[in-house]
Amino acid sequence: MERLIEQRYFLRQNFLAILGLGLCCYFSWHILAGERSCFRLFTLQSSVERVSAQYDSLHTEREGLERKVVDLRPGTLDRDFLEERAQIVLGYAHPGDHMIVYPEH
């Protein structure tokens, strides 16, 4: 019985310390493994880098396609580009031209 009374006094005397330790553990767990944790932040940063690299490659590809479209408009028609496209798409060539045909993937 005396031991039980000592345990109650121990809990009363150290209540704030136990509460503080519990809160520390609770918040530490959420910092390390929660929805907005450090590990989640690193994962999101790596996915942002991957997606931004993909965006950059698609953006440069789109710019190249837009330049080709501008070259084919009636007001700014580039005859060399038109001739090149006709040779590629239709298979036309001048009699003295040498054609190198690459197999499609």
Side-chain angles (χ1 to χ4, degrees), residues 10 42 86:
F10 177 77
F42 295 137

Side-chain angles (χ1 to χ4, degrees), residues 25-105:
C25 291
Y26 174 78
F27 287 117
S28 296
W29 170 257
H30 284 287
I31 286 173
L32 294 177
E35 184 178 327
R36 297 180 179 139
S37 67
C38 297
F39 297 126
R40 177 88 169 139
L41 176 67
F42 295 137
T43 305
L44 288 175
Q45 285 176 347
S46 66
S47 67
V48 164
E49 290 172 358
R50 182 176 35 87
V51 168
S52 67
Q54 183 181 8
Y55 170 78
D56 290 339
S57 67
L58 289 174
H59 186 68
T60 55
E61 182 181 346
R62 180 184 172 129
E63 286 177 346
L65 291 173
E66 286 177 353
R67 277 192 303 262
K68 287 182 179 181
V69 167
V70 167
D71 287 343
L72 289 175
R73 288 195 179 139
T76 61
L77 186 62
D78 185 12
R79 294 191 183 274
D80 292 333
F81 184 69
L82 181 63
E83 183 178 347
E84 176 187 335
R85 293 306 305 161
Q87 287 177 356
I88 291 172
V89 173
L90 301 175
Y92 292 153
H94 294 290
D97 286 348
H98 297 284
M99 301 273 300
I100 299 173
V101 179
Y102 295 106
E104 291 187 27
H105 299 279

